[in-house]
Amino acid sequence: MIRAGLSALLSHWRRHPIQLLTLIIGLATATALWSGVQAINAEARASYAAASATLGDNARPYLTSGGPIPHATYIALRRAGHQVTPLTEGTLDTEAGPLRILGLDPFTQAPGETFLDGLEPGDTSFLAPPGQLLVAPQTVRALEGSALPPRMAVEGVAPDQAVADIAIAQGLLNRPGEIDRLIITGPASLTAPPISDIAPGLRLTDPSDEVDTARLTDSFHLNLTAFGLLSFAVGLFIVRGAIGLAFEQRRPVFRTLRALGLSRSVLIGLLSVELLILALLAGAIGVALGWLIAALLLPDVAATLRGLYGAEVGGSLTLKPVWWVSGLGIAVLGTGIAALASLWQTARMPLLAPARPRAWALASERAMLGQALAALACGAVALVAWALGGSLLAGFVMLGGMLLGAALALPLILHRVLGLLSHTSRGPRSEWFWGDARQQLPGLTLALMALLLALSANIGVGTMVSSFRLTFIGWLDQRLAAELYIRAETDTQAREIEAMISDRVDAILPIRSAPTTLGGQPGEVYGVADHATYRDHWPLIARSPGVWDTVAAGAAVLINEQLARRADLWPGDQVKIGDWDAPIGGVYSDYGNPQPQAMIGLNRFAQMFPEAPDLRFGVRMPPEGIAALRREILDRFVLPADQISDQRAIKDLSLGIFERTFTVTAALNVLTLGVAGLAILTSLLTISTMRQPQIAPVWALGMTRRQLAALDLARAALLALLTFGLALPVGLALSWVLLAVINVEAFGWRLPLHLFPRDWLALGALAVVAALIAALLPALRLSRIPPSELLKVFANER
Amino acid sequence: MRGKSPFRLARRGFLASLLPAMAQAQGFAGLGHSNASYAEPDPEARFRFPEDHGPHPAFRIEWWYVTANLTGPDGAPYGVQWTLFRSALDPNPAAFAASQAWLAHAALTTPTAHFASERRGRGGTGQAGVTADPFAAWLDDWSLAGPSFDDLRMRAASDVFAYDLRLRTGARPVPQGIEGYSVKSFEGTASHYYSQPFYEVEGALTLPDGPVSVTGKAWLDREWSSSPLSKDQEGWDWFSLHLGDGAKLMGFQLRDRTRDAFTAATWIGPDGTTTPLPPGAFTAEPLEIHRSNGREIPVRWRVTLPQKGVDVTVTALNPNCWMPLSFPYWEGPVTVAGTHDGVGYLEMTGYE
């Protein structure tokens, strides 16, 4: 009996292959988006972990001097009993792109934290010239044939990095004896004098005090995860639609099976088994698709993270068993959620009850009120999160509450709007149209909710991306006003370059910086020249009168927006720079920089930080001479090419980074909208079968099937348009939360909101077109339905 | 944030192998074989001082090894270890700054506590090294140095303990084995080996509870070779004993996987005259096993040397003298009772 029952149930899918396909596609798409995003996240996180392990130092305090630390200082500290290990780093241009060289001393690494323990015991070729570069396996392949020292593939080294012995690295980087950082690997000896007694020039940085870069990258991952969840939710609407349809159509079969003696629990059990099989099948397809999505998007994600945070992420992907398991798990879970209502209804179905779709619809109308109440609750949660504020989590709770609330409120709002519109009706035909639209609303609710979410996300994220891009381009134009930026290797070299170019350029603007504490936080202070370049271009978002004069005179400072927002410091307040309680003259925007920063007049800077290197400067000059001058400097001085860059190169680089940041987002947007379109299609397919009892009388009264089909199309377009109307404010609110709440929390800067009505028009049209395409198949079906089918409605109950 | 690096799992591999002085003794693959590019000990060579106090970079491994048995003002016994290992990475020292790897171990033992610490250093940078005259041996802030080899200041510190001791003697260094040629296996592998077992010590220890002034005796071992052990030798038990009558006994057994242990010993009279004893004359037999962390460590031994009428029990002052460092071993102070009494040090490797 059980086998017969199962085969009877499964036979349904054989007779409705399209429905089966819809279910599988819906579930697979949902799982794919979910697991794809998870895969990207996991891969990126693994790469960070590798990057931090490579450095082995970012959790450890370290000493810097603002320039190279002499070898003798390092030895003096060791001989005094301080556990420090030297690090020399730099970038080499290779055939495979820039390669970051980390030179470390295996002898003084913290015990158990060295990569070198992965090497073959007894093999000293890492130390002996030409040395070895420890690189990730993909980097070995990328560097094949290079003239660099032999490469060793070591799992766990971040891509685009190479670990070498410090002596080898100093040779490669042409920096003999120079140390960039002394990392403190452990407690000093009991007898050790303070570091400041031995090496007074060194400055201690404790990264645990600093802004955690993990928090920044977390926000990116949080974004991705939110999108993954959203996509999954949208996908579930399809699954819900398909399962609802399958159950609805099989009510007679259920009834027959029950009447033949199949117990209720066995029937529910069989249906669950059937769903489980489908979920596993679709889940497997979904995981594979998700892997494909991740593999396609990962290079962009990697580029984004590298550009934004300097975090190296491998551009390749490995399929891990845990993804299979979690992907299948989420597919089963999602199917369960989607099928719960249907299973419940089947279980409670009276044995001899006829199929009554109308009653089902009515019940859903009652549910509408409950949903509206839930929507109010979600809205309240969002408001509370906003009011409490102050954290990234609150921002995302607000976002979630808002989106869910809007989705839940959608049916009631559409119901009311359709009710209002029905007052405009003249004649029975339009009255029937409005009435019929309201009648169908419950069946379409899920699909329309999915559409609402997809459209809101699209508007919200699109607005954020465009606002960001617009602001950022403007900021770059202001910020990179000088034509050429040069960073010399040594002070002497800097003076020589200055002497060489001084009479051939309009102005040389020194850029000096020193690490210091700003209002109690570690940050960077810049000394800037008093020049029109700054006065005219620097992007100030708040200023006091005569700010540039007071800054040039050394009587005030400018601070970046991150510091201003984090410490709530604005013009008129004071910020402590080292020992100086500096009056704040203005606040400038400083996108992409997680650190607090301040700018002071060059003279004041020189007094406060006489030791700071004077290596960098901007050059103002006529654009036509840039290329020639750059080549001339490179010919004459030993200078890596990346240390002399023209403004356009920097701008292009920066823009490229920010463009890529949102490629992923855009791709997910398109996918989500596609999934929503699919949801509408399946919902309409579901409804079309149930609608026959309502269509038949209208047809019998004289409307042609063609007219009915046209009305169906019009209704789909109308509902899509109405949904879009609601999605617009929701999307704008979403983008406002992203720009003004989540951005500030995650990055420390707030972006102005720019509106792009033309994009909305395009999106609205797209939504209508998607709805029309989705409605086309059911409409065609309706227009070609054999009249005998419609007549059956009157002959019996289907 | 930080992922688990696969390297942590195999963390002892590379660095320990750069410092093969003892790793070798514990049977690390291939290291027991002689390497033709390094110098081999020569039975005809004679020590020349002070030159031989300094390093011998042509040999692969070398150490400066001091142990001291000390007593506090209240009579409480203490033990101190100061060890500097040199290990050549390249038989051609001129080729590269990192041609020498240095490793130092320091330990401080009380009857109830044992502190051990390790430092590693790169040669040719000033971080670590040895000079013969005036004598100085150092790695970081740990040093053994003085105007001459007869008058040394020995210092080491970690973040929990420190010591600062003065070692003085009027006696000449004592060659071990045959004129300093110390055979280590039946195959004839050997090292150059001399000792200075006659140091008188005074100074101060810094313990977690505070400083303690101490006096006592110290024993310095100097040894260099390129491949002293045969490949089947898996560890050693090494005794350096200050006996009550002023005589000293150095004896060791090198345990072998395939046959009986190889033993050797040197009897040093109170006046410094040495009697090298042939293989087998010295015996050491475990009497009591201390079990800790899955290791079985013999902490009480019966030691005999019939030629000199020695039949004593050697007992660890503190059985928990495990040195959990780059390569782990047991080393700690012992007391001697039986036909002779006294104090000394016991080093045991290969019990990991």
Side-chain angles (χ1 to χ4, degrees):
Chain A
M1 186 69 203
I2 289 178
R3 180 179 299 182
L6 190 61
S7 104
L9 288 174
L10 287 177
S11 70
H12 172 81
W13 302 109
R14 227 175 21 247
R15 279 180 288 121
H16 296 90
I18 300 283
Q19 217 175 86
L20 179 65
L21 199 65
T22 320
L23 180 67
I24 301 270
I25 288 177
L27 197 52
T29 322
T31 312
L33 286 172
W34 166 263
S35 60
V37 167
Q38 294 305 310
I40 293 173
N41 267 347
E43 197 67 15
R45 278 180 204 283
S47 293
Y48 295 146
S52 358
T54 309
L55 284 166
D57 62 355
N58 61 351
R60 294 184 177 277
Y62 58 87
L63 302 162
T64 49
S65 76
I69 299 170
H71 183 79
T73 307
Y74 159 59
I75 296 300
L77 282 169
R78 291 285 320 184
R79 300 276 341 248
H82 288 283
Q83 301 288 301
V84 290
T85 189
L87 179 76
T88 299
E89 56 190 328
T91 305
L92 279 186
D93 282 322
T94 70
E95 297 86 335
L99 182 70
R100 196 162 115 89
I101 308 279
L102 292 174
L104 42 83
D105 177 35
F107 298 91
T108 47
Q109 289 286 293
E113 276 203 9
T114 168
F115 273 83
L116 306 160
D117 290 328
L119 293 178
E120 206 50 40
D123 183 0
T124 57
S125 46
F126 181 75
L127 296 165
Q132 271 177 348
L133 299 180
L134 306 188
V135 292
Q138 64 260 45
T139 317
V140 172
R141 290 191 289 277
L143 287 175
E144 223 154 278
S146 160
L148 289 168
R151 274 77 62 192
M152 267 280 291
V154 175
E155 286 291 346
V157 176
D160 305 335
Q161 288 197 348
V163 176
D165 178 61
I166 187 163
I168 303 290
Q170 287 175 350
L172 285 174
L173 298 168
N174 199 17
R175 302 181 54 197
E178 292 187 0
I179 294 165
D180 292 319
R181 263 189 277 177
L182 292 173
I183 298 150
I184 297 177
T185 58
S189 295
L190 287 179
T191 47
I195 289 174
S196 52
D197 287 6
I198 306 152
L202 296 186
R203 176 175 164 274
L204 179 70
T205 307
D206 192 342
S208 54
D209 297 343
E210 283 182 11
V211 181
D212 191 359
T213 49
R215 206 169 133 246
L216 291 181
T217 43
D218 273 353
S219 106
F220 186 82
H221 290 303
L222 212 54
N223 257 314
L224 274 182
T225 307
F227 270 109
L229 269 176
L230 197 66
S231 315
F232 188 70
V234 172
L236 281 192
F237 285 109
I238 305 179
V239 178
R240 172 80 194 95
I243 291 178
L245 179 60
F247 274 64
E248 181 63 32
Q249 289 178 336
R250 283 190 292 180
R251 284 171 81 100
V253 179
F254 298 161
R255 205 170 45 193
T256 310
L257 284 172
R258 290 290 311 282
L260 286 173
L262 196 72
S263 77
R264 176 181 303 181
S265 55
V266 171
L267 177 63
I268 298 296
L270 286 177
L271 285 170
S272 306
V273 168
E274 175 202 70
L275 288 173
L276 184 68
I277 294 170
L278 289 172
L280 289 177
L281 179 68
I285 299 172
V287 174
L289 281 175
W291 182 80
L292 199 69
I293 293 174
L296 289 175
L297 290 183
L298 197 64
D300 285 321
V301 177
T304 296
L305 290 170
R306 180 165 50 232
L308 269 182
Y309 313 118
E312 295 286 343
V313 177
S316 63
L317 195 67
T318 43
L319 192 54
K320 296 192 177 100
V322 63
W323 296 343
W324 282 108
V325 175
S326 68
L328 291 179
I330 197 85
V332 170
L333 188 73
T335 311
I337 293 171
L340 204 60
S342 292
L343 282 174
W344 179 249
Q345 279 167 1
T346 309
R348 285 179 24 172
M349 184 178 76
L351 187 54
L352 296 174
R356 283 182 308 180
R358 171 67 194 154
W360 191 56
L362 274 179
S364 296
E365 266 171 58
R366 273 203 304 278
M368 221 181 260
L369 211 64
Q371 284 177 351
L373 287 176
L376 282 178
C378 286
V381 167
L383 279 177
V384 167
W386 184 31
L388 293 178
S391 77
L392 205 54
L393 183 68
F396 273 96
V397 167
M398 186 176 162
L399 209 66
M402 206 175 71
L403 281 176
L404 198 60
L408 287 172
L410 180 71
L412 193 65
I413 292 175
L414 286 180
H415 195 72
R416 287 285 150 79
V417 170
L418 287 175
L420 284 176
L421 287 175
S422 69
H423 292 314
T424 65
S425 56
R426 273 158 290 162
R429 186 184 289 187
S430 72
E431 203 144 321
W432 176 79
F433 174 79
W434 295 116
D436 185 53
R438 290 176 75 179
Q439 157 81 19
Q440 285 188 51
L441 205 49
L444 277 171
T445 293
L446 291 166
L448 292 176
M449 282 181 179
L451 183 65
L452 176 81
L453 289 183
L455 287 172
S456 312
N458 214 316
I459 294 169
V461 174
T463 305
M464 182 188 81
V465 170
S466 306
S467 296
F468 202 115
R469 192 176 295 156
L470 211 62
T471 314
F472 186 69
I473 293 174
W475 171 79
L476 272 183
D477 280 339
Q478 296 171 320
R479 193 78 189 253
L480 300 175
E483 279 73 21
L484 202 59
Y485 290 85
I486 300 173
R487 189 166 76 99
E489 294 276 274
T490 63
D491 278 8
T492 323
Q493 192 184 55
R495 300 296 84 74
E496 283 170 11
I497 296 174
E498 280 176 14
M500 168 186 159
I501 64 174
S502 59
D503 52 353
R504 299 169 51 183
V505 300
D506 299 335
I508 295 175
L509 308 171
I511 304 167
R512 297 180 67 183
S513 69
T516 185
T517 52
L518 292 172
Q521 302 178 52
E524 196 88 5
V525 62
Y526 277 78
V528 292
D530 182 20
H531 191 267
T533 305
Y534 294 106
R535 289 174 181 261
D536 297 347
H537 293 288
W538 205 252
L540 293 182
I541 57 173
R543 62 167 77 208
S544 56
V547 54
W548 287 108
D549 291 329
T550 49
V551 168
V557 298
L558 302 173
I559 61 172
N560 68 350
E561 185 186 354
Q562 283 82 317
L563 176 60
R565 291 201 189 280
R566 213 174 293 159
D568 197 18
L569 294 171
W570 299 96
D573 296 335
Q574 287 192 338
V575 62
K576 205 168 177 65
I577 302 179
D579 300 328
W580 178 33
D581 284 315
I584 295 169
V587 176
Y588 56 94
S589 46
D590 186 18
Y591 307 122
N593 171 21
Q595 295 271 17
Q597 203 183 77
M599 284 168 52
I600 62 179
L602 202 53
N603 292 337
R604 177 103 203 185
F605 180 90
Q607 284 164 25
M608 289 179 70
F609 305 97
E611 300 293 316
D614 189 1
L615 302 175
R616 296 170 56 197
F617 41 89
V619 176
R620 297 307 311 263
M621 64 182 299
E624 55 273 14
I626 298 174
L629 186 68
R630 180 168 185 271
R631 201 171 314 118
E632 213 172 309
I633 296 172
L634 283 174
D635 285 348
R636 184 150 146 215
F637 297 95
V638 183
L639 206 61
D642 62 349
Q643 286 183 213
I644 168 162
S645 47
D646 69 43
Q647 175 206 37
R648 183 176 315 216
I650 299 180
K651 244 182 239 179
D652 287 351
L653 190 74
S654 314
L655 272 182
I657 288 165
F658 279 86
E659 289 293 329
R660 283 196 299 263
T661 308
F662 300 105
T663 316
V664 180
T665 312
L668 286 178
N669 257 338
V670 169
L671 284 173
T672 315
L673 199 62
V675 170
L678 213 58
I680 296 178
L681 173 66
T682 54
S683 297
L684 288 175
L685 282 176
T686 312
I687 289 175
S688 68
T689 324
M690 302 190 299
R691 257 167 60 78
Q692 283 178 21
Q694 287 125 42
I695 297 282
V698 187
W699 171 74
L701 287 174
M703 286 228 330
T704 64
R705 288 169 297 167
R706 186 175 288 273
Q707 282 171 326
L708 285 169
L711 280 180
D712 265 14
L713 281 178
R715 195 189 50 232
L718 177 73
L719 287 175
L721 208 57
L722 289 176
T723 305
F724 176 76
L726 184 61
L728 194 57
V730 174
L732 289 180
L734 175 70
S735 64
W736 178 81
V737 173
L738 286 171
L739 290 171
V741 179
I742 291 188
N743 240 312
V744 174
E745 288 301 334
F747 305 105
W749 63 70
R750 181 181 179 144
L751 292 168
L753 180 69
H754 294 276
L755 299 181
F756 303 89
R758 210 181 307 164
D759 290 358
W760 305 340
L761 278 180
L763 190 65
L766 201 64
V768 171
V769 169
L772 282 177
I773 292 174
L776 200 58
L777 185 64
L780 276 177
R781 224 191 239 179
L782 177 59
S783 70
R784 288 178 196 161
I785 191 169
S788 60
E789 281 290 318
L790 293 169
L791 278 172
K792 272 191 207 164
V793 171
F794 302 106
N796 57 20
E797 291 190 53
R798 285 193 283 175
Chain B
M1 176 80 185
R2 195 79 53 87
K4 186 166 191 173
S5 156
F7 308 106
R8 314 245 162 104
L9 300 177
R11 79 183 195 80
R12 286 201 175 114
F14 179 66
L15 273 170
S17 74
L18 290 183
L19 309 153
M22 298 178 79
Q24 193 171 16
Q26 295 175 20
F28 277 99
L31 289 173
H33 299 296
S34 96
N35 184 332
S37 27
Y38 289 101
E40 287 300 329
D42 173 7
E44 303 303 320
R46 295 293 173 264
F47 294 126
R48 290 188 306 136
F49 298 121
E51 292 85 344
D52 278 330
H53 298 319
H56 301 79
F59 291 83
R60 185 168 181 158
I61 55 172
E62 181 162 21
W63 56 74
W64 293 255
Y65 213 124
V66 183
T67 53
N69 294 91
L70 305 168
T71 312
D74 58 351
Y78 298 96
V80 155
Q81 179 198 345
W82 190 104
T83 313
L84 181 64
F85 300 98
R86 178 189 65 79
S87 178
L89 304 176
D90 186 336
N92 173 15
F96 182 57
S99 62
Q100 303 290 333
W102 296 84
L103 173 78
H105 287 174
L108 175 52
T109 309
T110 77
T112 54
H114 176 75
F115 308 100
S117 185
E118 175 177 87
R119 297 291 174 84
R120 299 179 299 217
R122 175 193 290 256
T125 64
Q127 188 198 350
V130 175
T131 58
D133 189 21
F135 180 77
W138 74 93
L139 199 172
D140 292 345
D141 54 331
W142 300 1
S143 64
L144 178 68
S148 81
F149 209 65
D150 295 340
D151 183 2
L152 298 172
R153 186 177 175 196
M154 182 168 91
R155 286 185 293 177
S158 78
D159 55 328
V160 289
F161 76 92
Y163 54 77
D164 187 348
L165 304 170
R166 189 155 183 205
L167 280 57
R168 274 181 291 193
T169 182
R172 295 166 49 79
V174 176
Q176 301 277 12
I178 310 297
E179 295 292 332
Y181 185 80
S182 169
V183 176
K184 293 291 194 287
S185 72
F186 295 112
E187 286 84 0
T189 56
S191 68
H192 291 296
Y193 183 7
Y194 68 84
S195 300
Q196 176 48 279
F198 292 106
Y199 283 120
E200 296 295 327
V201 183
E202 59 180 339
L205 311 178
T206 308
L207 288 161
D209 297 338
V212 183
S213 62
V214 287
T215 57
K217 299 173 192 306
W219 180 308
L220 182 146
D221 274 338
R222 281 279 292 118
E223 196 158 2
W224 60 93
S225 180
S226 289
S227 51
L229 302 189
S230 77
K231 64 182 182 347
D232 284 330
Q233 289 176 333
E234 57 184 5
W236 64 50
D237 307 302
W238 205 284
F239 299 81
S240 56
L241 307 177
H242 303 273
L243 301 178
D245 55 7
K248 317 278 178 185
L249 170 62
M250 185 287 294
F252 60 85
Q253 66 171 0
L254 292 159
R255 302 188 304 279
D256 200 293
R257 265 184 284 270
T258 57
R259 53 189 156 183
D260 288 346
F262 178 89
T263 74
T266 303
W267 180 262
I268 304 160
D271 59 352
T273 55
T274 59
T275 314
L277 294 148
F282 170 90
T283 70
E285 176 196 347
L287 296 177
E288 184 187 333
I289 303 293
H290 175 69
R291 285 181 179 80
S292 115
N293 291 333
R295 289 180 288 262
E296 299 188 347
I297 313 279
V299 291
R300 200 152 63 85
W301 292 78
R302 180 182 178 205
V303 167
T304 68
L305 185 64
Q307 282 91 330
K308 293 292 177 183
V310 175
D311 188 346
V312 294
T313 304
V314 173
T315 309
L317 174 68
N318 177 345
N320 296 307
C321 287
W322 191 249
M323 307 283 285
L325 305 173
S326 287
F327 44 87
Y329 59 104
W330 190 103
E331 170 136 19
V334 293
T335 55
V336 180
T339 56
H340 297 69
D341 58 1
V343 294
Y345 247 79
L346 169 59
E347 179 192 15
M348 298 182 282
T349 69
Y351 289 96
E352 175 68 334

